[in-house]
Each structure stands twice: as structure tokens, then as C-alpha cells.
Amino acid sequence: MSNSGAYKERNIRKIRENSFNIFEQVVFPKYPKLKNIKEEMSKNSIVSLMSGSGSTIFSVK
């Protein structure tokens, strides 16, 4: 199931599983505060991600 299908079905588990930014694997070990920010934001959202270039961490509620 794609994320568009998961959003239409409101399948939160699938949305989380299929939403990622591979750049986080490089950035978070070097900047653990960013990982902490993402984890905090994730507590109150469907999904939280770092933007493609890493300049922003955002949440979808």
C-alpha cells in the first residue's frame, strides 16, 4: 500500500511505516538533538520527518 492509499484509509500504522527520509540515518548520529526533536514531535502527530535537505523537521497531525 502506498502512502496515498494509507492516507485515504487513515491507516496510521502504514503511514508511519512508509514515511521516511534516508538522510536521517546520516544526520541523527551526528546531531542527536535533531533526533530528540523529531521524537518529541512524533508523540503528538501521525508522522514526523526531516525535510529532504534536512533544514526542517515537520509533523503531520
Side-chain angles (χ1 to χ4, degrees):
M1 174 184 299
S2 69
N3 258 359
S4 61
Y7 274 103
K8 287 179 186 175
E9 294 178 10
R10 298 184 177 181
N11 187 331
I12 304 303
R13 184 180 58 79
K14 285 290 183 187
I15 292 169
R16 287 184 178 146
E17 287 175 0
N18 293 303
S19 299
F20 63 92
N21 179 345
I22 199 159
F23 193 42
E24 290 176 359
Q25 294 175 2
V26 176
V27 173
F28 288 168
K30 189 168 183 172
Y31 301 99
K33 285 185 179 181
L34 294 177
K35 182 178 182 183
N36 294 341
I37 290 168
K38 179 187 171 186
E39 288 172 350
E40 271 305 304
M41 292 174 71
S42 294
K43 291 178 182 177
N44 298 311
S45 63
I46 294 170
V47 66
S48 294
L49 294 167
M50 187 171 68
S51 66
S53 63
S55 61
T56 303
I57 296 177
F58 66 94
S59 292
V60 176
K61 290 189 171 196

